[in-house]
Amino acid sequence: MAVDPNIRPGTVAQVDAAVAAAQAAGRVPSLIAGVVRDGALVHVATAGETPTATADTQYRIGSISKTLTATLVLRLRDAGGLALDDPLKRHLPGTPAGALTVRQLLGHVSGLQREPDGEWWERSAGGDVDALLAGLGPDKLARPPFAGYHYSNLAFGLLGALLTRATGKPWWQLVREQLLAPLGMTRTSYQATEPFARGYVVHPWDGTLREEPRHDAGAMAPAGQLWSTVTDLARWAAFLADPATAGDGTILAAPTGAEMTVPVAISDLESWTAGHGLGVELWRRGERVYLGHTGSMPGYLAVLVAHRRSRTAVVAFANAYTMLGGGIGGFGINLLTTVLDAEPEPVAGWRPGEVPPAEAAPLTGRWWWMGREYEASWADDALVLRSVTLPGGTPWRFTREAPDVWRCHTGMNTGETMTVRRTPDGAVEALDIATFVFRREVLPAE
């Protein structure tokens, strides 16, 4: 595809080289990757000729499907249909594992075993919801809830059943109506539709290919059924990178999009480089934190990795299991790191401000707490406090909730209230932020 002016030619060359090297080293029949910046697909790189893929070629996305399932669950919560700490039995009565909560299932800390019983993943189609629930019992707990991170496809099969019972609509209908249609993801489907890449096992000695079956996962579809293209998955990556603006902000409320990335569990306690939020994987590389998911089904690998601060993401597909060097997840993380290292984050230009409203104007200026200096300014319909003494931290952004009561939405005081203290004659005397009192003078008079 044509190179977008928002990505440098040097970055394009690095991405193309990385894709070509990974395809050759991993002996992958075809490998395709896309770079997403500011909500748009800006570059596509391909390697391999089985098939010669385009941005419209479908691959199976596997467990990236879980991010769509999790989004549906959070939408249902926001609509009042459930609470994250509801026990499963509240929505699936009679379930033997009914004491497990929605939050535990989303964050892979429920302790449920990884797969339902049987051979569904490897060589056979999945069963229906009734069969899934009938096979669920206390023996399916691999460990107690919150005893540690334990990835579970079974958990997401149950979340799909919950969605169907709670809404009266099949999971796939909910995906189509609530997620794919608003985002214009017309080439994401339940079953493969041409053109699509066949999935293979590559013989280790002679490099010949054996085509893998493409079974319907049935009740386990919410854990890994979907097919998509680079063009479509780029739209989903743009949503995960910036939920507040994708789909005109109608998919998830901004606070819910932020909540999705709060770690429920750290999956590698030794190095603290990976964890899980509410349906999304989290990875830390240096000072950057990425989110997204990997995916695999027989004959297919996929990855979506996003960086929210820069609104940049990478998506990639392979149609074999032979990726090297950290697998498809490591490839996606390294590719996004390459892009971010090569592409400076855009600097927002200064623009003239607006006159603050009457209730905010007296609060602007310098404030002191414990000998530390802070500056309050009005920007984008909020009162913003920044530390002058210790610059570089996340500013605190407050919006007015009631007369002399403001609510914080960013930084360490998120969710806390700020109360404006006044003198008997009504003048502003101090700002009380969660019992920390900020005054105009460095040290208040005794």
Side-chain angles (χ1 to χ4, degrees), residues 389-406:
T389 305
L390 301 172
T394 302
W396 307 333
R397 184 176 180 273
F398 292 88
T399 57
R400 186 172 179 267
E401 195 166 85
D404 286 341
V405 178
W406 297 67

PDB file of all heavy atoms in Angstrom, residues 389-406:
ATOM      1  N   THR A 389       7.234  22.040  41.863  1.00  0.00           N
ATOM      2  CA  THR A 389       8.399  21.542  42.587  1.00  0.00           C
ATOM      3  C   THR A 389       8.911  20.235  41.997  1.00  0.00           C
ATOM      4  O   THR A 389      10.126  20.034  41.869  1.00  0.00           O
ATOM      5  CB  THR A 389       8.051  21.328  44.073  1.00  0.00           C
ATOM      6  OG1 THR A 389       7.521  22.545  44.607  1.00  0.00           O
ATOM      7  CG2 THR A 389       9.278  20.917  44.859  1.00  0.00           C
ATOM      8  N   LEU A 390       7.991  19.336  41.637  1.00  0.00           N
ATOM      9  CA  LEU A 390       8.346  18.030  41.081  1.00  0.00           C
ATOM     10  C   LEU A 390       7.664  17.869  39.726  1.00  0.00           C
ATOM     11  O   LEU A 390       6.667  17.155  39.587  1.00  0.00           O
ATOM     12  CB  LEU A 390       7.929  16.902  42.031  1.00  0.00           C
ATOM     13  CG  LEU A 390       8.537  16.946  43.433  1.00  0.00           C
ATOM     14  CD1 LEU A 390       7.891  15.898  44.322  1.00  0.00           C
ATOM     15  CD2 LEU A 390      10.053  16.719  43.356  1.00  0.00           C
ATOM     16  N   PRO A 391       8.162  18.540  38.698  1.00  0.00           N
ATOM     17  CA  PRO A 391       7.514  18.473  37.387  1.00  0.00           C
ATOM     18  C   PRO A 391       7.657  17.084  36.764  1.00  0.00           C
ATOM     19  O   PRO A 391       8.513  16.293  37.143  1.00  0.00           O
ATOM     20  CB  PRO A 391       8.273  19.526  36.571  1.00  0.00           C
ATOM     21  CG  PRO A 391       9.621  19.601  37.216  1.00  0.00           C
ATOM     22  CD  PRO A 391       9.391  19.364  38.681  1.00  0.00           C
ATOM     23  N   GLY A 392       6.786  16.802  35.801  1.00  0.00           N
ATOM     24  CA  GLY A 392       6.881  15.544  35.081  1.00  0.00           C
ATOM     25  C   GLY A 392       5.827  14.523  35.461  1.00  0.00           C
ATOM     26  O   GLY A 392       5.606  13.545  34.743  1.00  0.00           O
ATOM     27  N   GLY A 393       5.186  14.719  36.608  1.00  0.00           N
ATOM     28  CA  GLY A 393       4.145  13.782  37.009  1.00  0.00           C
ATOM     29  C   GLY A 393       2.842  14.029  36.261  1.00  0.00           C
ATOM     30  O   GLY A 393       2.694  15.031  35.555  1.00  0.00           O
ATOM     31  N   THR A 394       1.893  13.131  36.431  1.00  0.00           N
ATOM     32  CA  THR A 394       0.599  13.284  35.778  1.00  0.00           C
ATOM     33  C   THR A 394      -0.189  14.403  36.445  1.00  0.00           C
ATOM     34  O   THR A 394      -0.399  14.376  37.668  1.00  0.00           O
ATOM     35  CB  THR A 394      -0.208  11.983  35.859  1.00  0.00           C
ATOM     36  OG1 THR A 394       0.537  10.934  35.246  1.00  0.00           O
ATOM     37  CG2 THR A 394      -1.555  12.125  35.157  1.00  0.00           C
ATOM     38  N   PRO A 395      -0.631  15.413  35.691  1.00  0.00           N
ATOM     39  CA  PRO A 395      -1.434  16.485  36.295  1.00  0.00           C
ATOM     40  C   PRO A 395      -2.752  15.942  36.827  1.00  0.00           C
ATOM     41  O   PRO A 395      -3.232  14.885  36.419  1.00  0.00           O
ATOM     42  CB  PRO A 395      -1.663  17.448  35.123  1.00  0.00           C
ATOM     43  CG  PRO A 395      -0.635  17.095  34.101  1.00  0.00           C
ATOM     44  CD  PRO A 395      -0.385  15.635  34.255  1.00  0.00           C
ATOM     45  N   TRP A 396      -3.343  16.688  37.743  1.00  0.00           N
ATOM     46  CA  TRP A 396      -4.645  16.331  38.300  1.00  0.00           C
ATOM     47  C   TRP A 396      -5.688  17.185  37.588  1.00  0.00           C
ATOM     48  O   TRP A 396      -5.639  18.420  37.631  1.00  0.00           O
ATOM     49  CB  TRP A 396      -4.700  16.592  39.799  1.00  0.00           C
ATOM     50  CG  TRP A 396      -3.568  15.949  40.561  1.00  0.00           C
ATOM     51  CD1 TRP A 396      -2.873  14.827  40.206  1.00  0.00           C
ATOM     52  CD2 TRP A 396      -2.996  16.409  41.788  1.00  0.00           C
ATOM     53  NE1 TRP A 396      -1.917  14.540  41.141  1.00  0.00           N
ATOM     54  CE2 TRP A 396      -1.965  15.502  42.130  1.00  0.00           C
ATOM     55  CE3 TRP A 396      -3.252  17.474  42.639  1.00  0.00           C
ATOM     56  CZ2 TRP A 396      -1.192  15.650  43.273  1.00  0.00           C
ATOM     57  CZ3 TRP A 396      -2.496  17.619  43.787  1.00  0.00           C
ATOM     58  CH2 TRP A 396      -1.477  16.704  44.096  1.00  0.00           C
ATOM     59  N   ARG A 397      -6.653  16.533  36.982  1.00  0.00           N
ATOM     60  CA  ARG A 397      -7.675  17.238  36.197  1.00  0.00           C
ATOM     61  C   ARG A 397      -9.003  17.159  36.940  1.00  0.00           C
ATOM     62  O   ARG A 397      -9.532  16.073  37.163  1.00  0.00           O
ATOM     63  CB  ARG A 397      -7.787  16.601  34.807  1.00  0.00           C
ATOM     64  CG  ARG A 397      -8.739  17.296  33.861  1.00  0.00           C
ATOM     65  CD  ARG A 397      -8.693  16.644  32.478  1.00  0.00           C
ATOM     66  NE  ARG A 397      -9.606  17.294  31.565  1.00  0.00           N
ATOM     67  CZ  ARG A 397     -10.884  16.977  31.433  1.00  0.00           C
ATOM     68  NH1 ARG A 397     -11.405  16.000  32.176  1.00  0.00           N
ATOM     69  NH2 ARG A 397     -11.642  17.628  30.574  1.00  0.00           N
ATOM     70  N   PHE A 398      -9.529  18.310  37.337  1.00  0.00           N
ATOM     71  CA  PHE A 398     -10.755  18.380  38.128  1.00  0.00           C
ATOM     72  C   PHE A 398     -11.891  18.990  37.320  1.00  0.00           C
ATOM     73  O   PHE A 398     -11.692  19.967  36.588  1.00  0.00           O
ATOM     74  CB  PHE A 398     -10.541  19.255  39.379  1.00  0.00           C
ATOM     75  CG  PHE A 398      -9.614  18.671  40.410  1.00  0.00           C
ATOM     76  CD1 PHE A 398      -8.242  18.887  40.335  1.00  0.00           C
ATOM     77  CD2 PHE A 398     -10.113  17.912  41.460  1.00  0.00           C
ATOM     78  CE1 PHE A 398      -7.387  18.365  41.284  1.00  0.00           C
ATOM     79  CE2 PHE A 398      -9.265  17.391  42.421  1.00  0.00           C
ATOM     80  CZ  PHE A 398      -7.895  17.610  42.329  1.00  0.00           C
ATOM     81  N   THR A 399     -13.086  18.429  37.481  1.00  0.00           N
ATOM     82  CA  THR A 399     -14.287  19.050  36.931  1.00  0.00           C
ATOM     83  C   THR A 399     -15.260  19.315  38.072  1.00  0.00           C
ATOM     84  O   THR A 399     -15.305  18.589  39.069  1.00  0.00           O
ATOM     85  CB  THR A 399     -14.960  18.154  35.876  1.00  0.00           C
ATOM     86  OG1 THR A 399     -15.275  16.885  36.453  1.00  0.00           O
ATOM     87  CG2 THR A 399     -14.036  17.950  34.677  1.00  0.00           C
ATOM     88  N   ARG A 400     -16.050  20.349  37.892  1.00  0.00           N
ATOM     89  CA  ARG A 400     -16.968  20.787  38.949  1.00  0.00           C
ATOM     90  C   ARG A 400     -18.127  19.813  39.063  1.00  0.00           C
ATOM     91  O   ARG A 400     -18.758  19.456  38.083  1.00  0.00           O
ATOM     92  CB  ARG A 400     -17.486  22.190  38.638  1.00  0.00           C
ATOM     93  CG  ARG A 400     -18.340  22.828  39.731  1.00  0.00           C
ATOM     94  CD  ARG A 400     -18.602  24.283  39.375  1.00  0.00           C
ATOM     95  NE  ARG A 400     -19.438  24.953  40.366  1.00  0.00           N
ATOM     96  CZ  ARG A 400     -20.759  25.038  40.286  1.00  0.00           C
ATOM     97  NH1 ARG A 400     -21.392  24.486  39.265  1.00  0.00           N
ATOM     98  NH2 ARG A 400     -21.451  25.679  41.223  1.00  0.00           N
ATOM     99  N   GLU A 401     -18.403  19.380  40.302  1.00  0.00           N
ATOM    100  CA  GLU A 401     -19.471  18.426  40.572  1.00  0.00           C
ATOM    101  C   GLU A 401     -20.637  19.074  41.303  1.00  0.00           C
ATOM    102  O   GLU A 401     -21.785  18.680  41.142  1.00  0.00           O
ATOM    103  CB  GLU A 401     -18.921  17.260  41.390  1.00  0.00           C
ATOM    104  CG  GLU A 401     -19.809  16.048  41.434  1.00  0.00           C
ATOM    105  CD  GLU A 401     -19.057  14.837  41.971  1.00  0.00           C
ATOM    106  OE1 GLU A 401     -18.995  14.688  43.209  1.00  0.00           O
ATOM    107  OE2 GLU A 401     -18.537  14.047  41.157  1.00  0.00           O
ATOM    108  N   ALA A 402     -20.349  20.065  42.126  1.00  0.00           N
ATOM    109  CA  ALA A 402     -21.351  20.808  42.899  1.00  0.00           C
ATOM    110  C   ALA A 402     -20.679  22.111  43.331  1.00  0.00           C
ATOM    111  O   ALA A 402     -19.462  22.272  43.174  1.00  0.00           O
ATOM    112  CB  ALA A 402     -21.806  19.988  44.112  1.00  0.00           C
ATOM    113  N   PRO A 403     -21.443  23.054  43.860  1.00  0.00           N
ATOM    114  CA  PRO A 403     -20.802  24.283  44.336  1.00  0.00           C
ATOM    115  C   PRO A 403     -19.672  23.978  45.312  1.00  0.00           C
ATOM    116  O   PRO A 403     -19.873  23.309  46.328  1.00  0.00           O
ATOM    117  CB  PRO A 403     -21.960  25.032  45.013  1.00  0.00           C
ATOM    118  CG  PRO A 403     -23.171  24.562  44.287  1.00  0.00           C
ATOM    119  CD  PRO A 403     -22.911  23.117  43.985  1.00  0.00           C
ATOM    120  N   ASP A 404     -18.473  24.424  44.955  1.00  0.00           N
ATOM    121  CA  ASP A 404     -17.260  24.257  45.763  1.00  0.00           C
ATOM    122  C   ASP A 404     -16.825  22.799  45.930  1.00  0.00           C
ATOM    123  O   ASP A 404     -16.018  22.481  46.811  1.00  0.00           O
ATOM    124  CB  ASP A 404     -17.425  24.905  47.148  1.00  0.00           C
ATOM    125  CG  ASP A 404     -17.367  26.420  47.079  1.00  0.00           C
ATOM    126  OD1 ASP A 404     -16.848  26.942  46.060  1.00  0.00           O
ATOM    127  OD2 ASP A 404     -17.836  27.081  48.012  1.00  0.00           O
ATOM    128  N   VAL A 405     -17.324  21.920  45.084  1.00  0.00           N
ATOM    129  CA  VAL A 405     -16.913  20.504  45.109  1.00  0.00           C
ATOM    130  C   VAL A 405     -16.496  20.104  43.699  1.00  0.00           C
ATOM    131  O   VAL A 405     -17.273  20.248  42.746  1.00  0.00           O
ATOM    132  CB  VAL A 405     -18.029  19.575  45.609  1.00  0.00           C
ATOM    133  CG1 VAL A 405     -17.569  18.119  45.555  1.00  0.00           C
ATOM    134  CG2 VAL A 405     -18.438  19.958  47.025  1.00  0.00           C
ATOM    135  N   TRP A 406     -15.251  19.618  43.582  1.00  0.00           N
ATOM    136  CA  TRP A 406     -14.702  19.233  42.285  1.00  0.00           C
ATOM    137  C   TRP A 406     -14.204  17.792  42.365  1.00  0.00           C
ATOM    138  O   TRP A 406     -13.727  17.349  43.401  1.00  0.00           O
ATOM    139  CB  TRP A 406     -13.535  20.147  41.903  1.00  0.00           C
ATOM    140  CG  TRP A 406     -13.936  21.597  41.740  1.00  0.00           C
ATOM    141  CD1 TRP A 406     -14.367  22.446  42.706  1.00  0.00           C
ATOM    142  CD2 TRP A 406     -13.935  22.338  40.518  1.00  0.00           C
ATOM    143  NE1 TRP A 406     -14.641  23.681  42.184  1.00  0.00           N
ATOM    144  CE2 TRP A 406     -14.373  23.650  40.839  1.00  0.00           C
ATOM    145  CE3 TRP A 406     -13.593  22.037  39.213  1.00  0.00           C
ATOM    146  CZ2 TRP A 406     -14.486  24.645  39.874  1.00  0.00           C
ATOM    147  CZ3 TRP A 406     -13.693  23.026  38.246  1.00  0.00           C
ATOM    148  CH2 TRP A 406     -14.141  24.311  38.574  1.00  0.00           C
TER     149      TRP A 406
END
